[in-house]
Amino acid sequence: MEDTNKRPEREEKIEIGPLGKDGEKMMKSVEAGNMVAVLSGTEIMYCFEYRNKYQCFIHPIGEEEGRYRSWDKNAKNRAMLKNLDSTADQLFEIKYDKKLNYMGVMVTAERGIYNFLCTIGQKPGEDVDFMDAIEESPTKGQAN
């Protein structure tokens, strides 16, 4: 007799892969509905689109607190984000089931990225503040 109380298998999943330091690939991935993790020093910035804005959550690896910024989705802000590849140590593409909670995706991705870095012997380096690079860009003052 079949157990009818059995919970259905969960099919949600997250896939993380290196993207190379290519800002155009980064933005194409974001525009395709994925999330991109930009690793710089000891911080990761998670970029994705939501409600017609670029959303960016900046988080020091292993810490509880972080920062959040959003920008209107337009050519000027796209160019600003695209150029963050120059400050990045590595970029990671994160493909995920859209039913998942964004915060859960980021926590899972961060654990995966950290474990990957430890495995290859490249623990995160010096702390670099993403806001410094953004504030020095020609789009200064365009953030919401």
Side-chain angles (χ1 to χ4, degrees):
M1 179 175 209
E2 188 176 326
D3 182 5
T4 56
N5 293 325
K6 189 176 176 182
R7 295 178 111 182
E9 294 281 327
R10 292 182 65 147
E11 304 236 355
E12 300 96 4
K13 64 181 188 174
I14 297 172
E15 296 177 20
I16 305 169
L19 200 53
K21 287 181 58 169
D22 184 327
E24 189 58 36
K25 278 185 181 177
M26 171 186 152
M27 293 312 297
K28 284 182 179 178
S29 181
V30 168
E31 290 160 354
N34 300 315
M35 186 181 293
V36 172
V38 181
L39 173 67
S40 185
T42 61
E43 288 193 325
I44 297 179
M45 179 167 61
Y46 301 94
C47 301
F48 59 96
E49 287 183 9
Y50 180 69
R51 295 188 175 170
N52 206 35
K53 289 187 180 253
Y54 295 117
Q55 310 293 331
C56 297
F57 287 81
I58 304 163
H59 188 260
I61 294 174
E63 298 295 323
E64 292 183 20
E65 300 295 322
R67 302 181 309 282
Y68 163 77
R69 297 286 295 264
S70 71
W71 290 271
D72 289 330
K73 190 177 158 191
N74 59 40
K76 189 181 240 185
N77 292 330
R78 184 188 192 280
M80 180 263 307
L81 288 172
K82 177 183 162 218
N83 289 326
L84 284 177
D85 66 342
S86 64
T87 65
D89 296 327
Q90 293 185 45
L91 301 176
F92 297 90
E93 180 176 53
I94 305 164
K95 295 180 179 180
Y96 57 97
D97 186 320
K98 302 309 180 246
K99 295 183 283 186
L100 295 175
N101 175 284
Y102 290 115
M103 292 299 169
V105 171
M106 288 184 267
V107 167
T108 301
E110 184 169 315
R111 288 179 183 151
I113 291 167
Y114 184 77
N115 288 338
F116 169 74
L117 294 172
C118 289
T119 299
I120 64 170
Q122 292 183 349
K123 288 188 179 180
E126 293 181 29
D127 190 23
V128 175
D129 191 339
F130 279 109
M131 288 299 112
D132 288 344
I134 289 172
E135 289 170 1
E136 291 171 7
S137 75
T139 60
K140 183 177 179 180
Q142 297 297 315
N144 291 333

